[in-house]
């Protein structure tokens, strides 16, 4: 009988894991049954794309960075390569709102001074970065502290803090450098300097092109669910996972000695499984892990996931002259705004708004303003409209409005996150054929979460099919 793998969670990580597991089995000529259980009516997790009346609004990520082989292979195999759309040239222009106005970020120290982002003194401190002694103790360090130590306090305050808002909706003083920005940590570790490291890697590595799909980011999860040789059950809320016992009542066929029973709300009998991958949000995985390991559940539950509000405002053609052609603007925390920033979606990809119109996505909340979660939709909309009016001077009302609320949104990789994930991994490794993925663990970016799903899916399939894995080999050596 073919082994059965159950994946709990139909976001990009879970679907990538299911796809990768089935692909490995197919390449080996082995049979492997894979079932994905998604609690919501749609797959995609945080990636939700809403098309209506000529507008395309992203409730979650607006794109992904190319250059990740696992992600690019997923896109190709899902048949979405023809629908992939690179961001327009205008997306290279990015802005910070500081000292009362928008200022363009140009990757040149002298331009940063000219545009009022840095002072001459701040530029000078930035330029001595290659001569700052590298930290070699291997300890965790906050993103802000790292930037202040290497680049100077002015760069840390005026540029890095807003950057953390834009990526994590987080507080740079609390975020772990190694977990949140591992590539930045690697530059100092491998080259002793950020600037020297970037110069050494120039031409050899690239962060990739910002990319989306013709019908939005949810296109990939939908394509994987539709085209994967596995079963996807929607509206399937998992209540529990538990170890299978010899006295368990026989249910659906699985292998001779299944390890797990997965209890789905409303099902009369549990699903027997040889392997389980948890691919949900940290708090959701915590509830399932708690009966197995209280300490691991507490670690998962301790990963902060503050609320986010996304307010999409579509404006008539007259507003286009008020908004620069570019990616968007980040807003420093001491400027009197509650918005973290805006994305100018119409400038990023074609087809996001009717011809000549402009779509602005305002982001509010996050770790720096969790009280946004207590406001009503009307209050959030009024706040966004008032601040957008103040920011751009647009007085005409929007012709399209969409509000998306996420009560527990982007996981915060706070100091100690790497050690926390290692403890979770060690705890789950004590159970046969149980693993976890998801954007709460090893990468919040869409491509990173997908790539991690591929890694975990391949690893689980290898175990179920009797193939050695690198982790199994390491455990054997250690033993």
């Amino acid at each position: 009988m073919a082994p059965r793998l159950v994946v709990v969670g139909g976001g990009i990580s879970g679907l990538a894991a299911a796809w990768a597991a089935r692909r490995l089995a197919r390449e080996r000529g082995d049979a492997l049954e894979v079932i994905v259980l998604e609690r919501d009516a749609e797959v995609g997790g945080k990636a939700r794309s809403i098309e209506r009346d000529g507008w395309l609004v992203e409730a979650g990520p607006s794109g992904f960075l190319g250059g990740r082989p696992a992600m690019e292979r997923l896109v190709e195999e899902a048949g979405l390569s023809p629908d992939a759309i690179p961001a327009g040239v205008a997306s290279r222009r990015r802005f910070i709102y500081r000292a009362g106005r928008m200022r363009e970020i140009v990757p040149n120290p002298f331009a940063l001074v000219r545009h009022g982002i840095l002072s001459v003194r701040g530029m000078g401190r930035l330029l001595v970065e290659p001569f700052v002694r590298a930290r070699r103790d291997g300890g965790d360090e906050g993103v802000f502290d790292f930037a202040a130590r290497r680049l100077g306090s002015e760069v840390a305050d005026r540029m890095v803090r807003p950057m953390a808002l834009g990526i994590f909706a987080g507080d740079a003083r609390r975020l772990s450098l190694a977990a949140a920005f591992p590539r930045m940590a690697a530059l100092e570790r491998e080259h002793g300097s950020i600037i020297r490291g970037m110069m050494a890697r120039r031409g050899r590595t690239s962060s990739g092109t910002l990319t989306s799909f013709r019908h939005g980011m949810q296109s990939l999860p939908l394509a994987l669910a539709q085209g994967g040789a596995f079963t996807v059950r929607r509206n399937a809320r998992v209540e529990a996972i538990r170890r299978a016992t010899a006295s368990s009542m026989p249910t659906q066929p699985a292998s001779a000695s299944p390890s797990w029973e997965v209890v789905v709300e409303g099902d009369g009998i549990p699903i027997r499984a040889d392997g389980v991958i948890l691919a949900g949000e940290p708090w959701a995985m915590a509830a399932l892990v708690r009966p197995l390991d209280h300490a691991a559940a507490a670690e998962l539950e301790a990963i902060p996931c503050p609320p986010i509000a996304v307010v999409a405002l579509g404006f008539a053609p007259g507003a286009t002259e008020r908004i620069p052609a570019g990616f968007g603007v980040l807003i420093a925390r001491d400027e009197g705004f509650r918005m973290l920033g805006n994305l100018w979606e119409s400038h990023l990809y074609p087809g996001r708004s009717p011809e000549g119109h402009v779509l602005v996505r305002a982001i509010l909340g996050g770790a720096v303003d969790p009280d946004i979660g207590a406001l009503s939709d009307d209050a959030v909309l009024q706040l966004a409209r008032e601040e957008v009016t103040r920011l751009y001077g647009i007085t005409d009302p929007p012709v399209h409005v969409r509000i998306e609320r996420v009560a527990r949104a982007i996981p915060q990789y706070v100091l100690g996150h790497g050690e926390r994930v290692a403890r979770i991994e060690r705890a789950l490794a004590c159970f046969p054929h149980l693993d976890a993925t998801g954007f709460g663990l090893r990468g919040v970016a869409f491509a990173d979460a997908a790539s991690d799903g591929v890694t975990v899916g391949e690893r689980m399939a290898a175990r179920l099919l009797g193939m050695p894995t690198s982790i199994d080999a390491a455990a054997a050596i250690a033993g």
Side-chain angles (χ1 to χ4, degrees):
M1 191 71 66
R4 174 185 290 154
L5 167 63
V6 170
V7 179
V8 182
I12 187 59
S13 297
L15 291 166
W19 186 281
R22 281 290 300 130
R23 180 176 61 200
L24 181 62
R26 183 176 64 250
E27 290 173 348
R28 283 175 46 87
D30 291 328
L32 175 65
E33 181 186 4
V34 180
I35 302 172
V36 176
L37 303 174
E38 168 54 44
R39 70 170 182 258
D40 291 332
E42 293 184 87
V43 298
K46 294 295 185 290
R48 289 199 306 112
S49 308
I50 303 102
E51 292 186 90
R52 185 170 300 168
D53 301 326
W55 302 88
L56 197 164
V57 174
E58 297 284 16
S62 62
F64 65 94
L65 289 176
R68 274 72 165 177
M71 177 68 177
E72 292 179 353
R73 187 177 179 186
L74 276 178
V75 171
E76 180 180 356
E77 292 181 346
L80 284 180
S81 295
D83 286 342
I85 304 173
V89 175
S91 67
R92 300 173 188 171
R93 300 184 67 206
R94 306 187 180 213
F95 294 78
I96 284 179
Y97 187 91
R98 199 192 81 77
R101 67 183 181 89
M102 283 193 290
R103 303 169 187 273
E104 186 174 358
I105 305 169
V106 178
N108 177 292
F110 297 97
L112 293 174
V113 173
R114 187 169 63 251
H115 291 182
I117 295 175
L118 295 181
S119 68
V120 173
R121 182 174 181 178
M123 178 192 70
R125 174 62 180 82
L126 169 63
L127 292 175
V128 302
E129 189 274 339
F131 307 101
V132 175
R133 180 177 298 178
R135 178 177 170 177
R136 302 294 189 185
D137 60 9
D140 205 358
E141 185 175 17
V143 170
F144 183 92
D145 290 342
F146 171 83
R149 176 172 60 81
R150 294 224 58 88
L151 303 168
S153 59
E154 198 169 282
V155 171
D157 187 60
R158 298 184 184 183
M159 298 183 68
V160 174
R161 282 180 66 199
M163 178 189 70
L165 290 175
I167 298 174
F168 278 86
D171 183 349
R173 294 184 181 277
R174 297 190 61 209
L175 291 173
S176 160
L177 177 77
F181 299 100
R183 294 174 182 85
M184 191 68 67
L187 291 176
E188 181 182 43
R189 184 174 62 251
E190 297 171 9
H191 302 277
S193 158
I194 298 173
I195 294 176
R196 286 203 304 268
M198 293 175 67
M199 293 176 64
R201 294 185 178 191
R202 184 178 298 167
R204 295 192 292 115
T205 61
S206 171
S207 60
T209 301
L210 182 65
T211 304
S212 184
F213 302 103
R214 192 174 311 280
H215 296 287
M217 292 295 291
Q218 195 177 2
S219 298
L220 181 58
L222 289 171
L224 292 175
Q226 182 176 355
F230 50 84
T231 300
V232 179
R233 286 185 56 188
R234 297 163 176 83
N235 295 310
R237 180 179 172 272
V238 175
E239 295 182 324
I241 58 170
R242 62 195 185 207
R243 298 290 299 275
T245 63
S247 60
S248 298
M249 182 179 296
T251 60
Q252 304 98 325
S255 63
S257 302
S259 301
W260 299 98
E261 294 180 338
V262 181
V263 181
V264 179
E265 183 180 49
D267 283 6
I269 52 178
I271 300 172
R272 302 291 292 272
D274 302 283
V276 173
I277 294 176
L278 301 177
E281 295 157 303
W283 54 269
M285 292 193 288
L288 298 177
V289 169
R290 186 169 292 109
L292 304 173
D293 190 310
H294 281 273
E299 297 283 13
L300 285 162
E301 210 159 37
I303 299 172
C305 299
I308 286 286
V310 176
V311 181
L313 302 174
F315 293 97
T320 56
E321 61 187 31
R322 296 279 187 176
I323 300 176
F327 181 89
V329 59
L330 296 170
I331 303 174
R333 287 293 80 201
D334 53 358
E335 293 293 331
F337 286 83
R338 293 188 74 175
M339 291 190 305
L340 309 182
N342 290 175
L343 292 173
W344 304 326
E345 298 285 343
S346 303
H347 297 321
L348 293 181
Y349 310 106
R352 266 35 182 182
S353 62
E355 184 67 28
H357 292 63
V358 61
L359 178 62
V360 176
R361 260 203 320 162
I363 314 297
L364 303 97
V368 297
D369 191 8
D371 292 342
I372 283 291
L375 298 183
S376 67
D377 283 357
D378 288 343
V380 168
L381 175 58
Q382 181 180 350
L383 175 62
R385 287 188 59 179
E386 289 174 352
E387 295 198 349
V388 164
T389 296
R390 176 183 162 198
L391 189 60
Y392 306 110
I394 300 174
T395 56
D396 292 338
V399 297
H400 182 79
V401 172
R402 180 87 189 188
I403 303 171
E404 294 291 332
R405 310 288 296 272
V406 183
R408 287 181 276 196
I410 304 174
Q412 302 295 297
Y413 291 4
V414 297
L415 286 163
H417 181 81
E419 296 174 353
R420 171 171 287 128
V421 171
R423 291 191 293 270
I424 294 168
E425 291 171 342
R426 287 195 295 270
L428 297 186
C430 294
F431 298 94
H433 301 159
L434 178 64
D435 213 332
T437 182
F439 75 152
L441 300 177
R442 293 174 287 267
V444 299
F446 188 83
D448 291 338
S451 298
D452 189 67
V454 168
T455 298
V456 172
E458 290 179 343
R459 184 167 66 213
M460 179 62 76
R463 288 171 171 169
L464 295 178
L465 299 174
M467 300 168 58
T469 70
S470 57
I471 290 182
D472 295 333
I477 294 172

